[in-house]
Amino acid sequence: MTPEAIRLDHVSLWRRTQEEFSYDLKKTLFSLLQGKYTKPAKKQVLNDINLVVNPGEKIGIIGSNGAGKSTLLKLICGILDPTEGKVRVRGNIAPLIELGAGFNMNLSVRDNIILYGVLLGYSKQEMLTRTLDILNFAELNDYADMPVKSLSSGMKARLGFTVATDTEPDILILDEVLSVGDAKFARKSRQRIDHLWEKSSTILFVSHSLEYIDDLCDRAIWLNQGKIAFQGETKEAIDLYLSHLDVKEYTHNN
Amino acid sequence: MSIVHYQLSIILITEFEGTISPKSAGVRYNANYEFCFSLFMIIARKKTLEIWEKSPVWKDVKRYWELLSVLVPQNLKVRYRGSLLGIYWSLLNPIIMTVLYSTIFGTTFASYYDDSITNYVLAAVNGLLVVNFFNASTTQALVSIVESGDLLNKIKLPIPVFPMSMIGANIFQFMVGSFPLLAIVTLVKTHSLFSVILLLLPFSLLIVVCTGISLFVSSLYVFFRDLSYFYEIATFVAWITSPVFYPPDIVPEAVKPFINLNPLVPVIQIFRQVSLEGRFPESIYLIHGFCSGIIILTLGWLFVRRVQSAFMDLL
């Protein structure tokens, strides 16, 4: 039996709501002095999530905005720690959440490739040897020494995509980033994803494009208000999700 | 799991060290034995090295090193935009300050410095460079975690690396800008290259102190974004309580213990003893400096570890 790539046991997450927190030493001190200090409120974002992903599985995650999809991915990436329960992940993860977050706008494209790569966990040496490949794939050779802020947003997305997918991670996390750039690059990036797909890396894929999910994933998870409402057959998950939306719309209209 | 592994490796290392000390066992050993012993030492060392390389601590150290090796140059590049000469601009402030204070206080305080204004000026430069390093590095580190909030929300990264990268950038800046100045002063005063090298001792103390404080204040800043106002006051206190432009002797006896709470005081004294008097620093300052440095660093580190789980909800 192969060990599971990702395993979540009874995972719950409570987060502090940012609006209620004062961020203010002066105010906090005064409220303490006046005895009005209240502990910041917390809200449950994920509720008793149980999930097992085997190596090579492609899993789609669907759900409406705020259902906790991105939060779930962050937990799996290790960015957030669960309040209760246990998250176990085997293998290295390449997160592809909102491309280009790691870029420093004032540095050159070349420097950024190395910076981003090292942030993602590769060594500097490794990144130096891979820079050229990355520039080639992203078609940014002519821009190598220009600051990233001079690139168009499409080019930035291309750069982020290329750096993150340049090696073959064991687990790839995709948050709405299947096609980036112009039509030509979108095709290329799609090919690369297909390649990673075939290489049987485990993929977690969040998208609002249900067609993509239906097309690409073996299994789907429908998250609703921080809970797994359904996990299993992709088609069934999508149908359930859609009918749930219909019901909601129906009750709303009446 | 990983903690068990780490503890295991520690036990192995200590066991190796425990079994390879013939002297402590009271064995009278000859040359032959010595050879065997050194061979054994080499093998044992290799073994411990292998264990060490596999340990999670080593991995952490390597990860920190990799991250710092890209983050520090990034900080510097953004700051100086291709012209390293910019670093010398940062010397402008201490030089003007020294000139100013020397003209105003120089004649009054010269009697404490063997009646020499030059000595006063040189002591002032020493102190000023220390306080400047402290102010610049910790103030820049203060906002470093919050500024990396976007990044921390996308990629899992060790949080202490961000204040540390600010310290790193300032170390580079010090070595290129201030250190040559100190080295010249030292050479002129002591004619000894050893003293110049010895300057690295108080400097490393300074780095330890600044890192500890940076870890602490940058974590606190995540919770309290108006901290920079309070921190300005704190740096001003550190600045006034450091004997930079006044001789430490003028401080009333009753106040001295409080002044000594300032961790920069021993650092400045060690700097002066090495660079102006050309002697090995007095042990009282060394002990004072090292103890406060280690305590501050440990507390800073523990504080980040303790509160960092709450960071992600606030960034």
Side-chain angles (χ1 to χ4, degrees):
Chain A
M1 195 193 90
T2 48
E4 57 273 327
I6 301 168
R7 186 189 182 96
L8 277 73
D9 289 324
H10 301 291
V11 167
S12 298
L13 181 74
W14 293 75
R15 299 198 75 179
R16 206 181 269 193
T17 44
Q18 290 200 6
E19 301 73 45
E20 282 191 33
F21 193 69
S22 73
Y23 285 117
D24 207 300
L25 183 59
K26 201 174 55 192
K27 261 189 206 157
T28 314
L29 284 178
F30 284 148
S31 65
L32 268 176
L33 285 175
Q34 294 169 328
K36 281 183 193 162
Y37 182 77
T38 46
K39 273 207 146 175
K42 287 198 169 185
K43 201 181 116 203
Q44 187 159 29
V45 193
L46 290 176
N47 187 357
D48 197 34
I49 304 275
N50 289 294
L51 175 66
V52 174
V53 181
N54 293 313
E57 259 189 314
K58 283 52 172 167
I59 306 234
I61 302 173
I62 53 177
S64 38
N65 287 327
K69 299 186 301 281
S70 298
T71 314
L72 182 63
L73 293 188
K74 281 183 184 177
L75 267 176
I76 292 168
C77 289
I79 295 167
L80 298 172
D81 291 325
T83 320
E84 288 156 34
K86 207 164 188 183
V87 178
R88 265 170 294 185
V89 176
R90 194 183 291 267
N92 66 320
I93 300 190
L96 240 91
I97 308 168
E98 287 171 61
L99 294 169
F103 291 144
N104 186 319
M105 291 300 153
N106 292 316
L107 294 182
S108 70
V109 171
R110 197 188 298 276
D111 287 341
N112 266 295
I113 290 173
I114 291 164
L115 173 67
Y116 201 20
V118 173
L119 290 177
L120 285 175
Y122 304 109
S123 76
K124 196 177 176 182
Q125 207 53 45
E126 205 179 334
M127 290 314 294
L128 283 171
T129 56
R130 276 164 43 188
T131 305
L132 198 64
D133 284 346
I134 292 170
L135 284 172
N136 280 334
F137 189 89
E139 298 164 26
L140 290 170
N141 277 315
D142 300 340
Y143 297 89
D145 296 309
M146 292 207 195
V148 166
K149 67 178 168 199
S150 67
L151 300 184
S152 71
S153 54
M155 287 173 176
K156 278 178 214 155
R158 256 154 57 183
L159 188 60
F161 175 86
T162 316
V163 179
T165 55
D166 189 54
T167 52
E168 284 152 11
D170 301 326
I171 301 164
L172 186 65
I173 296 208
L174 297 171
D175 195 349
E176 293 280 10
V177 278
L178 260 199
S179 55
V180 287
D182 49 20
K184 190 173 145 228
F185 192 80
R187 202 163 64 214
K188 254 170 89 177
S189 63
R190 188 59 196 269
Q191 275 168 8
R192 191 172 246 198
I193 293 288
D194 286 346
H195 175 72
L196 287 168
W197 224 270
E198 278 161 24
K199 279 274 168 184
S200 89
S201 39
T202 313
I203 298 184
L204 290 183
F205 176 33
V206 166
S207 182
H208 287 288
S209 157
L210 299 175
E211 282 162 51
Y212 265 148
I213 301 253
D214 192 19
D215 210 19
L216 294 168
C217 299
D218 319 328
R219 202 147 69 88
I221 292 163
W222 166 32
L223 269 183
N224 189 24
Q225 291 174 348
K227 280 187 188 163
I228 294 187
F230 177 82
Q231 60 172 318
E233 196 68 26
T234 315
K235 277 225 155 41
E236 214 179 330
I238 293 173
D239 286 346
L240 278 169
Y241 172 52
L242 286 177
S243 61
H244 170 79
L245 287 184
D246 285 344
V247 171
K248 238 167 104 181
E249 204 154 286
Y250 181 77
T251 47
H252 190 79
N253 286 341
N254 285 288
Chain B
M1 239 294 274
S2 62
I3 293 169
V4 174
H5 185 120
Y6 171 58
Q7 281 177 343
L8 193 72
S9 61
I10 291 285
I11 289 165
L12 283 174
I13 291 168
T14 45
E15 265 182 8
F16 270 119
E17 282 170 359
T19 51
I20 55 177
S21 172
K23 267 185 187 161
S24 64
V27 180
R28 197 160 51 89
Y29 58 98
N30 53 27
N32 198 6
Y33 183 91
E34 200 166 25
F35 172 73
C36 286
F37 171 65
S38 50
L39 199 69
F40 183 62
M41 269 296 269
I42 291 166
I43 296 166
R45 173 112 7 115
K46 213 173 162 195
K47 204 91 178 184
T48 47
L49 215 73
E50 269 169 26
I51 294 165
W52 175 235
E53 265 173 14
K54 275 183 204 150
S55 81
V57 176
W58 173 251
K59 264 191 198 146
D60 277 354
V61 171
K62 235 171 100 181
R63 176 90 175 115
Y64 271 84
W65 182 253
E66 285 285 344
L67 285 170
L68 287 175
S69 72
V70 293
L71 289 174
V72 171
Q74 178 205 321
N75 288 344
L76 289 166
K77 271 183 193 168
V78 170
R79 202 176 299 169
Y80 294 114
R81 295 281 169 81
S83 145
L84 273 180
L85 277 178
I87 284 180
Y88 295 98
W89 277 113
S90 64
L91 283 177
L92 202 63
N93 171 306
I95 286 172
I96 290 178
M97 294 274 265
T98 309
V99 171
L100 215 60
Y101 275 81
S102 304
T103 28
I104 298 172
F105 296 121
T107 37
T108 316
F109 287 143
S111 59
Y112 290 90
Y113 298 88
D114 306 327
D115 285 324
S116 145
I117 292 191
T118 323
N119 280 355
Y120 173 79
V121 171
L122 294 182
V125 168
N126 257 292
L128 197 55
L129 291 179
V130 170
V131 175
N132 258 22
F133 180 89
F134 172 82
N135 281 357
S137 61
T138 55
T139 308
Q140 286 161 18
L142 180 70
V143 295
S144 61
I145 295 178
V146 170
E147 277 184 348
S148 320
D150 260 356
L151 201 55
L152 286 167
N153 263 304
K154 308 295 187 304
I155 306 173
K156 185 191 172 146
L157 294 165
I159 287 171
V161 95
F162 292 99
M164 279 157 89
S165 76
M166 283 300 171
I167 302 281
N170 278 284
I171 291 173
F172 180 84
Q173 193 175 318
F174 188 90
M175 291 313 283
V176 175
S178 313
F179 193 78
L181 193 67
L182 274 179
I184 292 168
V185 169
T186 310
L187 271 183
V188 169
K189 289 292 284 185
T190 67
H191 307 290
S192 142
L193 209 59
F194 179 69
S195 295
V196 176
I197 295 165
L198 206 58
L199 283 174
L200 295 176
L201 179 78
F203 185 49
S204 43
L205 257 181
L206 180 61
I207 294 168
V208 170
V209 170
C210 292
T211 309
I213 290 179
S214 297
L215 289 173
F216 179 70
V217 292
S218 58
S219 326
L220 214 54
Y221 187 72
V222 176
F223 300 95
F224 305 116
R225 303 293 163 88
D226 58 345
L227 195 68
S228 33
Y229 168 71
F230 293 93
Y231 194 64
E232 230 171 86
I233 302 174
T235 50
F236 185 71
V237 171
W239 156 241
I240 289 295
T241 52
S242 304
V244 174
F245 290 114
Y246 57 85
D249 304 334
I250 65 160
V251 180
E253 278 304 321
V255 185
K256 263 186 185 157
F258 297 102
I259 296 278
N260 280 333
L261 285 177
N262 178 354
L264 295 180
V265 173
V267 175
I268 292 174
Q269 294 299 358
I270 296 172
F271 256 116
R272 283 180 180 157
Q273 288 187 339
V274 172
S275 99
L276 304 180
E277 297 166 34
R279 61 176 167 136
F280 199 81
E282 268 175 71
S283 50
I284 171 106
Y285 290 128
L286 279 179
I287 293 167
H288 182 181
F290 265 99
C291 287
S292 47
I294 298 290
I295 289 171
I296 289 171
L297 184 61
T298 315
L299 287 181
W301 180 263
L302 291 178
F303 186 71
V304 186
R305 292 268 133 181
R306 179 95 177 71
V307 297
Q308 68 177 357
S309 59
F311 282 179
M312 293 317 299
D313 294 351
L314 302 170
L315 288 172

